[in-house]
Amino acid sequence: MERNAFFDNAKVVLIFFVVFGHMIQPFVDGSREMSTLYSWIYTFHMPAFILMSGFFAKGAGNFSYIINLVKKLLVPYLIFQVLYSGYYFLIGKSGWQTDLFSPHWALWFLFSLFSWHLLLYWFKKLPPLLSIAIALQIGLIIGYFGEIGHTFSLSRTFVFFPFFLIGYFLTEKQIMLLKHKSVKIASLVIMSAVFVSIYFMPEFNSGWLLASKSYGDLGMAEYGGLARLLVYITAAIMVVSVLAWIPKAHYNWTKLGARTLYVYLLHGFFIQYFRQADVFQINGLHDFLGLAALSLGLVFLLSSRPILGLWQPVIEGKASILKQNLKT
């Protein structure tokens, strides 16, 4: 069955925003424009990525399915947890000593993705609207418990689960409705309005978008549920708006959409070094465009065949690319 270029294009665009968002994070405190852009990116890039993951989820739930998930998600998580701990120590980064179940940086996604697949076994048995409504309710309630946070990636698992569930229930035909001209026009207004709103919003805490802290930690212990509901609504309309502009045509770079996990797991080695060594500064438009170009370059580098061949045994537990290259 031929891959739909739209989904691969979407994954490439989204992984670029993941890398670029991490690239500009050190500069958000010194610039209102950078802080706004950073928060704007975070309104949609992970929710959209998670929705895509849900769309391609099988949710079989049998023993072989679970074992396969362990191989694909938990084994790489454990390996990279150790690798990042050692790497952080080498570059002199504080916090390198962490327990195995407090995910380093971006590794939370692997742990949460495994959990979402497990949760899907039960939630897929319910009618879609009821299933999503329950997941949303859990996501809203969970923020009132300060004990649920970064460990085991529990907070993000429950908060982002509705997007995974929505992706699972969506059909390809329904997603393609986003390509309608009226949706694309409306999306320009929405994306602009969200950007301007974030810019003029007083002291917006980007922690609301990261979903790893309780309402108490975010300074809104009583009305945190209402705030998170607004974040959910904003994320949903932003995901729709961004996906509406993803092209459907097949390009030379479309194939990179099947390799985004490599970019996600490996780009942290570069980002963390850049931050620790304080390599970059943003003093003008040329610096900003340079970081955007570097982010794009990392996407292409880390999804290249040589990198895939080198890291496939670690990430996928097989060496088919290396064997193929040796034969030729």
Side-chain angles (χ1 to χ4, degrees):
M1 188 174 179
E2 187 177 352
R3 294 176 69 101
N4 187 327
F6 168 83
F7 295 105
D8 280 332
N9 290 341
K11 290 167 72 175
V12 175
V13 171
L14 292 172
I15 198 63
F16 164 76
F17 277 115
V18 169
V19 176
F20 186 51
H22 288 153
M23 190 75 76
I24 66 174
Q25 190 275 333
F27 312 105
V28 299
D29 291 334
S31 167
R32 190 162 190 169
E33 290 78 14
M34 296 304 297
S35 177
T36 300
L37 177 60
Y38 176 80
S39 295
W40 183 82
I41 290 173
Y42 270 73
T43 61
F44 69 85
H45 79 327
M46 286 313 298
F49 225 120
I50 293 164
L51 185 141
M52 289 289 172
S53 299
F55 180 79
F56 289 104
K58 297 291 189 300
N62 55 35
F63 181 75
S64 61
Y65 180 75
I66 300 300
I67 293 300
N68 189 47
L69 285 177
V70 170
K71 292 178 180 178
K72 287 179 61 177
L73 299 174
L74 287 193
V75 172
Y77 166 79
L78 295 172
I79 292 173
F80 275 89
Q81 185 77 347
V82 173
L83 288 177
Y84 270 107
S85 294
Y87 183 68
Y88 286 174
F89 173 76
L90 288 176
I91 64 175
K93 179 179 172 62
S94 61
W96 67 272
Q97 290 177 303
T98 183
D99 65 81
L100 208 55
F101 300 107
S102 293
H104 275 308
W105 198 46
L107 296 183
W108 68 268
F109 180 69
L110 291 181
F111 210 104
S112 290
L113 186 56
F114 177 78
S115 302
W116 293 327
H117 278 275
L118 296 184
L119 289 171
L120 189 59
Y121 176 75
W122 292 280
F123 277 80
K124 70 176 183 178
K125 297 179 180 180
L126 301 174
L129 290 180
L130 176 60
S131 182
I132 294 168
I134 294 174
L136 282 170
Q137 191 65 44
I138 294 173
L140 294 173
I141 293 174
I142 212 73
Y144 288 106
F145 297 90
E147 302 82 6
I148 299 177
H150 188 67
T151 304
F152 291 103
S153 189
L154 279 180
S155 179
R156 282 167 165 160
T157 295
F158 289 116
V159 174
F160 285 125
F161 181 54
F163 294 102
F164 184 85
L165 204 53
I166 291 170
Y168 176 78
F169 285 121
L170 282 175
T171 65
E172 185 173 326
K173 184 177 181 180
Q174 289 171 330
I175 293 178
M176 288 300 109
L177 291 176
L178 301 180
K179 308 305 295 178
H180 195 278
K181 186 177 180 180
S182 60
V183 178
K184 298 178 73 171
I185 294 173
S187 70
L188 292 178
V189 177
I190 290 170
M191 289 189 288
S192 301
V194 170
F195 189 92
V196 172
S197 298
I198 295 173
Y199 183 84
F200 288 104
M201 189 177 297
E203 297 183 10
F204 177 73
N205 189 335
S206 61
W208 287 100
L209 305 174
L210 301 178
S212 60
K213 295 181 179 180
S214 68
Y215 299 148
D217 291 336
L218 292 169
M220 198 175 287
E222 294 183 5
Y223 300 103
L226 179 60
R228 175 157 289 164
L229 180 60
L230 293 175
V231 171
Y232 270 141
I233 294 171
T234 302
I237 61 176
M238 281 296 290
V239 168
V240 169
S241 299
V242 171
L243 293 183
W245 284 95
I246 299 296
K248 296 189 294 183
H250 192 282
Y251 303 98
N252 289 333
W253 49 268
T254 299
K255 61 185 178 182
L256 304 184
R259 310 171 184 177
T260 52
L261 182 59
Y262 285 78
V263 182
Y264 188 85
L265 292 176
L266 298 174
H267 80 283
F269 292 111
F270 293 87
I271 300 295
Q272 293 298 339
Y273 173 77
F274 295 155
R275 292 182 184 181
Q276 194 67 17
D278 197 19
V279 174
F280 300 113
Q281 292 183 345
I282 296 183
N283 296 315
L285 181 61
H286 59 286
D287 291 330
F288 172 78
L289 295 177
L291 288 181
L294 179 59
S295 300
L296 186 61
L298 282 176
V299 171
F300 278 87
L301 171 66
L302 299 178
S303 54
S304 64
R305 289 284 291 182
I307 297 297
L308 263 64
L310 182 63
W311 283 94
Q312 189 188 37
V314 177
I315 295 176
E316 298 187 53
K318 58 183 180 181
S320 58
I321 297 176
L322 281 175
K323 291 177 181 178
Q324 184 179 0
N325 289 338
L326 289 174
K327 288 180 180 179
T328 57

